[in-house]
Amino acid sequence: MDKTILPGSTIGIIGGGQLGQMMSFCAKEMGYKVIILDPQENCSAAQVSDDQIVAQYSDVDQLVELAKRCDVLTYEFENVDAAAINEVKKYTQVPQGTKALKVTQNRISEKDFIEANGFSTVPHVVIENIFEYHRGVEKLGAPVILKTIRGGYDGKGQILVTDPENVCYADIEHLLMQGPCMLEKKINLEKEVSVVVSANSKGDKSIFPIIENVHRHNILHLSTCPAQISEKSAQHIYNVAETLAEKLELVGTMCIEFFISDEDEVFVNEIAPRPHNSGHLTIEACNISQFDAHIRGVCNLAMPQVELLKPAAMVNLLGQHLEPAKKELSQHPEWHFHDYGKDAIKENRKMGHITILSDDLEKTKQAIENNSIWDVQK
Ligand code: ADP
Ligand code: MG
């Protein structure tokens, strides 16, 4: 059993992006010391932490150095090397273990795991070459989406095939050259939703209210909570969250993404074994945030019942949105403005977000929709 890590102790975080930064804010507020390991000097998380080890995530010597200097080790992203984690476990407590990492690092094992627990995933086949691609398209029926098995995020490593007669085979070959791929049936989405769940080493859980998500170009654009879905779908989603958290022996925070089809079927899309972009609104909208819950979980503290204090909308600030949003900030007392402090502003890179608490979510969504900062062409 993991021991309880009390304030005053040191938390090591592998990865220094916005998720590590928001974890660190919560840890610091409670009185922990935080050390970040990230290759980029003065990364988002290091700006708000006690110290940083500048090193690649795969640098086992430096991971061991971090482990020796901290009382508990956590990570902010899923592409951590499970073998390296096992190595550093000799030096410090790593309560999250590697099970959730191993299952979710690979789209095949992830979908197999979801199905083995009795939950639906979208129809899919694994393909290794063009011949299998053709067979897959025939079996599933267009439109389909081809996805890399590993390492995809924000829609990267994906090809949408709407018309199989009119595809760029070079793109498909290019993806296949990186290894086996997953071909998925493209679902007519009524809605996308997600649920965040956190746990400590004793298995006590905090489950957050379901969040509704709108993507643009496969990148999360807008999240709102509570989600407008049927009671039946909500019950199913909470059941999935509890079951998968138990089966993954969850410690810390994870998020499960769902598709709800136009025929009201609920499919599990993917599992992120870490805090999630859609859960950022929990910072202002709930009694504890997904980051508080993560810190509590990995430190084996008590896990509170989550309450939604007020409905909320969160809109992402990508590279192209940041400057226009800053210009308007002084006109928006309702904005909870978050800038992650990244130095390189790139198009479509997540730079920050804004959360708005509101008793009239429809009006708030409309205001975001009508604001030129998030014009579709941007
Ligand atoms: P990532 O790892 O990049 O988040 P996802 O598989 O979650 O990859 O895909 C990103 C987005 O693309 C989804 O949130 C959804 O909007 C859209 N998408 C992905 N797969 C499907 C599908 N099978 N049917 C319909 N939309 C999909
Ligand atoms: Mg996703």
Side-chain angles (χ1 to χ4, degrees):
M1 172 57 72
D2 294 307
K3 46 175 213 271
T4 299
I5 308 291
L6 290 175
S9 311
T10 302
I11 300 174
I13 304 178
I14 305 171
Q18 63 266 30
L19 302 178
Q21 185 186 57
M22 289 182 267
M23 280 179 196
S24 188
F25 277 134
C26 297
K28 292 302 300 167
E29 198 173 78
M30 290 180 77
Y32 291 100
K33 297 186 183 69
V34 179
I35 307 175
I36 304 296
L37 184 143
D38 193 276
Q40 201 207 318
E41 201 165 351
N42 200 31
C43 57
S44 299
Q47 292 168 24
V48 304
S49 299
D50 296 274
D51 204 358
Q52 177 180 8
I53 294 175
V54 180
Q56 298 296 328
Y57 310 123
S58 54
D59 185 335
V60 176
D61 289 344
Q62 291 302 313
L63 286 169
V64 167
E65 172 66 17
L66 176 67
K68 284 181 177 165
R69 290 178 57 191
C70 65
D71 300 289
V72 62
L73 192 66
T74 183
Y75 44 80
E76 63 136 25
F77 63 110
E78 58 267 54
N79 293 315
V80 186
D81 181 27
I85 293 285
N86 280 328
E87 179 62 27
V88 301
K89 259 174 33 195
K90 294 176 201 152
Y91 303 95
T92 193
Q93 197 163 294
V94 192
Q96 284 158 285
T98 49
K99 186 165 181 183
L101 274 183
K102 281 185 187 152
V103 168
T104 61
Q105 273 173 350
N106 174 309
R107 286 194 200 270
I108 305 173
S109 57
E110 184 173 55
K111 284 206 167 34
D112 288 351
F113 170 78
I114 294 161
E115 287 178 348
N117 284 292
F119 303 124
S120 304
T121 60
V122 294
H124 62 275
V125 290
V126 178
I127 61 161
E128 293 195 22
N129 52 48
I130 280 286
F131 175 70
E132 289 176 359
Y133 161 79
H134 286 297
R135 260 206 331 223
V137 174
E138 217 164 275
K139 182 174 168 201
L140 298 171
V144 292
I145 304 176
L146 188 65
K147 302 183 179 181
T148 50
I149 297 297
R150 284 175 177 274
Y153 68 98
D154 289 345
K156 290 195 173 56
Q158 299 196 10
I159 299 172
L160 169 66
V161 179
T162 313
D163 174 10
E165 303 294 310
N166 192 5
V167 293
C168 176
Y169 284 108
D171 288 348
I172 292 174
E173 293 274 16
H174 180 75
L175 224 54
L176 281 166
M177 257 155 51
Q178 298 168 37
C181 288
M182 183 158 288
L183 197 63
E184 284 184 17
K185 173 97 184 150
K186 182 172 189 289
I187 300 299
N188 285 329
L189 297 175
E190 178 64 29
K191 269 180 202 300
E192 289 193 69
V193 300
S194 55
V195 65
V196 173
V197 48
S198 311
N200 64 15
S201 303
K202 297 184 205 93
D204 305 329
K205 289 185 206 64
S206 293
I207 303 183
F208 289 79
I210 298 167
I211 298 162
E212 196 169 319
N213 302 315
V214 176
H215 291 76
R216 276 194 191 162
H217 312 296
N218 291 352
I219 304 173
L220 183 65
H221 167 57
L222 180 76
S223 293
T224 49
C225 186
Q228 301 298 310
I229 57 172
S230 68
E231 189 51 35
K232 185 166 159 256
S233 297
Q235 284 314 322
H236 175 67
I237 286 165
Y238 286 127
N239 178 34
V240 172
E242 287 233 39
T243 308
L244 297 189
E246 267 157 40
K247 292 290 164 67
L248 287 172
E249 296 157 23
L250 174 72
V251 177
T253 291
M254 76 168 181
C255 179
I256 309 170
E257 297 176 11
F258 296 84
F259 295 148
I260 302 181
S261 77
D262 56 359
E263 291 171 5
D264 211 26
E265 291 165 289
V266 179
F267 299 101
V268 180
N269 172 27
E270 57 176 1
I271 307 167
R274 52 165 172 78
H276 190 263
N277 192 170
S278 64
H280 292 356
L281 55 75
T282 60
I283 295 173
E284 288 90 4
C286 297
N287 55 331
I288 58 161
S289 73
Q290 62 167 349
F291 303 101
D292 294 321
H294 183 77
I295 296 298
R296 283 166 184 262
V298 295
C299 291
N300 208 12
L301 305 180
M303 303 302 293
Q305 169 105 34
V306 181
E307 281 174 53
L308 182 68
L309 303 175
K310 194 143 169 142
M314 188 258 4
V315 58
N316 267 332
L317 294 172
L318 305 180
Q320 61 272 39
H321 306 138
L322 188 65
E323 281 311 313
K326 276 189 196 168
K327 282 204 186 104
E328 268 191 32
L329 182 53
S330 61
Q331 300 160 39
H332 291 281
E334 76 284 16
W335 282 4
H336 292 270
F337 188 83
H338 298 250
D339 178 339
Y340 311 138
K342 296 183 185 178
D343 52 7
I345 302 180
K346 288 190 201 136
E347 186 170 329
N348 288 342
R349 184 177 193 209
K350 289 174 180 170
M351 304 300 296
H353 70 268
I354 292 168
T355 299
I356 302 167
L357 302 181
S358 166
D359 286 319
D360 190 343
L361 276 183
E362 278 314 311
K363 205 169 139 198
T364 303
K365 279 197 275 190
Q366 208 52 54
I368 294 168
E369 203 63 27
N370 294 340
N371 191 314
S372 65
I373 294 170
W374 296 281
D375 274 354
V376 182
Q377 64 270 27
K378 277 200 180 138

